[in-house]
Amino acid sequence: MQIQLASRPGNAAEPDTIAGSKKVRASISWLAFFSCAVAPIPLFSLGYVRSPHLQGTANDADFWFLILATLTQIQGLLVSALLEWKRGRLPKWRWAIPAAVAGACSIVAIPLYLNVPREWSSFLSLVAGTTQSFMISQFFLF
């Protein structure tokens, strides 16, 4: 029975019961974006205030964790971008620009850790994650 339902062509007049209405999808998307973009601001502020404002070194464990997180984020960005490139529902600029910005912020965070106070590297990582969240919300909405 499930196979028959899945293979049945959808009627444009029928509501999308799997993903929900467009309003519900938009609400979920904005909630996800808000939780990634706005909610971390107080936490970043608290971390900034309590930071010793020193630049990091390659001997810090956090430096290697940053590289690990960057590699993981780049992989996620590549997979998301390749899936949308193949799907082709969005104009290229709606996913390519955020993917490039998020990737650049994530990569630049690594040398930044070694050259300026560490909190700025964390800030760029936060910007990269927020931008990636925005890019993914584009897929969800359209």
Side-chain angles (χ1 to χ4, degrees):
M1 178 114 179
Q2 290 177 343
I3 296 172
Q4 292 174 342
L5 290 175
S7 64
R8 183 181 63 159
N11 184 354
E14 290 182 27
D16 185 1
T17 56
I18 295 172
S21 71
K22 191 168 186 168
K23 285 184 180 181
V24 170
R25 290 187 308 208
S27 298
I28 291 170
S29 178
W30 280 110
L31 179 64
F33 180 73
F34 177 82
S35 67
C36 289
V38 178
I41 291 173
L43 296 173
F44 178 80
S45 299
L46 185 63
Y48 182 85
V49 168
R50 295 184 178 193
S51 174
H53 306 296
L54 301 172
Q55 67 187 56
T57 69
N59 293 327
D60 296 342
D62 288 339
F63 176 73
W64 299 103
F65 289 135
L66 175 63
I67 292 174
L68 174 66
T70 296
L71 291 174
T72 303
Q73 186 162 31
I74 296 297
Q75 288 174 335
L77 285 166
L78 285 173
V79 168
S80 299
L82 288 173
L83 287 172
E84 180 51 34
W85 182 49
K86 182 174 173 116
R87 186 176 83 156
R89 288 189 185 168
L90 291 174
K92 207 175 262 191
W93 67 269
R94 294 217 24 207
W95 58 268
I97 292 173
V101 168
C105 287
S106 191
I107 290 168
V108 169
I110 294 171
L112 211 60
Y113 184 89
L114 300 172
N115 295 303
V116 298
R118 293 176 285 204
E119 59 268 18
W120 295 110
S121 178
S122 296
F123 177 73
L124 267 188
S125 294
L126 176 63
V127 169
T130 301
T131 306
Q132 185 173 8
S133 171
F134 173 75
M135 182 185 83
I136 298 300
S137 73
Q138 298 298 306
F139 302 155
F140 189 63
L141 285 173
F142 300 99

